[in-house]
């Protein structure tokens, strides 16, 4: 009998086809995430689940899925998974690192330029027919070349974003919660590991790539935003709760910092009150990995991971490989 798996929301077909070679696949075909009770009801007889970051994978989920032999996250970020709980229950869990690195770094650059040169605000002016002709004092933005780029969390995506700065001759500084040095960035860009405080004080552009953990939640708040340059621009393509969004709205209103480009939000899909009205922001709907190729690669990686788990093999990108070691 084929193992039963649930895919909690439609993903690119290539991933489903892979799963169908070995499993009986049930898919949530509605174009929305499953509610908590729908999720819990649909996993009771499943051996595997391929889910999204909106699905909370915790003790209650595992209790509802007594036959579960593996969970594959369709995302690199895994703050939705209680990994220690999965490990305690000897259930392997996986994520999708690597395949979305460049797409997400590219989007961080799109936001950086869009905010610096006011691309969205000015596009709106053109479309509404309000432009009356060229003027020397009109629509001035911020330079990028030669400005200091601060990377918070120089993991895969932070590193890719930093490496892409090469053509813009930007001094790069970075901070890591672990304090670990990034030899590639130091060799390629002469980048410097600095304290978080120094990064805040020296950066013209700050780009967030740290994972969301209890320690990094609200890393950017009234206090830390105040320590940034008032000309600085903050970019977030990581996780929304890295920023206390109400404090950011105030900082953008008061001129504490100059602008922000956001792809992620503290309470998705909602935004803090006042954010949408601010002209010095560019706001995107969590599309860091949203290219055709990247989403397909995420689907096939997540599917391969789930198939490996169901066969008691080690998935390519397992978050708790220790549960697969012989006990
Ligand atoms: C991730 O993978 O963590 C993104 O946020 C979704 O693509």
């Amino acid at each position: 009998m084929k193992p039963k798996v649930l895919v909690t929301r439609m993903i690119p077909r290539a991933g489903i086809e892979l799963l169908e070679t070995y499993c009986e696949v049930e898919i949530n075909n509605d174009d929305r995430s499953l509610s908590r009770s729908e999720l819990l009801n649909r996993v009771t007889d499943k051996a595997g689940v391929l889910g999204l970051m909106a699905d909370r994978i915790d003790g209650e989920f595992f209790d509802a899925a007594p036959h579960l032999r593996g969970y594959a996250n369709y995302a690199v970020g895994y703050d939705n998974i209680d990994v220690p709980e999965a490990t305690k229950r000897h259930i392997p869990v996986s994520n999708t690192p690597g395949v979305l690195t460049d797409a997400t770094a590219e989007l961080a650059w799109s936001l950086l330029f869009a905010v610096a040169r006011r691309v969205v605000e000015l596009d709106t002016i053109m479309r509404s027919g309000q432009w009356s002709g060229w003027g020397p004092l009109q629509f001035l933005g911020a330079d990028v070349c030669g400005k200091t780029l601060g990377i918070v969390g120089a993991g895969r995506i932070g590193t890719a974003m930093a490496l892409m700065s090469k053509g813009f001759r930007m001094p790069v500084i970075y901070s890591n919660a672990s304090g670990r040095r990034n030899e590639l960035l130091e060799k390629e860009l002469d980048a410097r590991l600095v304290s978080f405080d120094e990064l805040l004080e020296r950066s013209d552009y700050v780009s967030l790539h740290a994972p969301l953990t209890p320690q990094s939640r609200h890393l950017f708040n009234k206090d830390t935003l105040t320590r940034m340059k008032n000309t600085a621009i903050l970019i977030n393509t990581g996780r929304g709760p890295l920023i206390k969004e109400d404090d950011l709205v105030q900082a953008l209103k008061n001129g504490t910092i100059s602008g922000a480009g956001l792809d992620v939000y503290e309470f998705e899909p909602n935004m803090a009150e006042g954010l949408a009205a601010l002209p010095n922001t560019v706001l995107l709907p969590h599309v860091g990995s949203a290219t055709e190729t990247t989403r397909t690669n995420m689907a096939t990686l997540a599917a391969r991971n789930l198939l490996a788990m169901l066969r008691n093999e080690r998935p390519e990108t397992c978050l708790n490989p220790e549960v697969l070691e012989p006990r």
Side-chain angles (χ1 to χ4, degrees), residues 77-157:
Y78 55 90
D79 43 283
N80 60 316
I81 309 175
D82 185 340
V83 180
E85 186 62 38
T87 306
K88 208 168 83 191
R89 294 169 187 247
H90 302 288
I91 298 173
V93 291
S94 65
N95 65 339
T96 58
V99 290
L100 45 68
T101 300
D102 286 342
T104 309
E106 287 165 3
L107 194 86
W109 279 103
S110 313
L111 284 169
L112 188 153
F113 273 105
V115 180
R117 298 303 299 271
R118 304 168 58 176
V119 170
V120 176
E121 179 194 349
L122 303 186
D123 176 88
T124 308
I125 288 179
M126 288 307 292
R127 288 171 199 275
S128 63
Q130 289 174 60
W131 188 44
S132 53
W134 194 88
L137 300 180
Q138 265 175 12
F139 310 138
L140 307 183
D143 292 311
V144 174
C145 282
K147 295 293 177 183
T148 298
L149 174 63
I151 301 282
V152 176
R156 286 187 188 79
I157 300 172

Side-chain angles (χ1 to χ4, degrees), residues 171-192:
V172 174
I173 54 181
Y174 67 97
S175 70
N176 271 333
S178 63
R180 205 175 311 121
R181 285 180 49 192
N182 184 318
E183 282 166 22
L184 179 63
L185 287 189
E186 298 193 1
K187 180 165 159 271
E188 292 292 319
L189 300 173
D190 217 8
R192 274 212 318 114

Side-chain angles (χ1 to χ4, degrees), residues 53 74-78 96 100 237-239 264 286 288-289 295 298:
M53 62 200 156
Y74 184 76
V76 63
Y78 55 90
T96 58
L100 45 68
T237 53
R239 281 291 181 266
V264 289
H286 203 147
S289 63
R295 287 283 166 88
M298 288 168 68

Side-chain angles (χ1 to χ4, degrees), residues 250-312:
Q250 286 315 314
L252 290 164
K253 274 190 183 157
N254 301 339
T256 305
I257 66 169
S258 164
L262 306 178
D263 184 43
V264 289
Y265 303 87
E266 190 175 354
F267 301 108
E268 293 182 10
N270 303 315
M271 286 188 285
E273 203 176 321
L275 188 61
L278 294 170
N280 49 348
T281 59
V282 174
L283 306 171
L284 297 179
H286 203 147
V287 288
S289 63
T291 73
E292 293 275 352
T293 310
T294 298
R295 287 283 166 88
T296 298
N297 290 340
M298 288 168 68
T300 51
L301 174 56
R304 289 198 306 275
N305 278 337
L306 192 56
L307 290 178
M309 294 187 255
L310 294 173
R311 291 173 172 139
N312 283 325

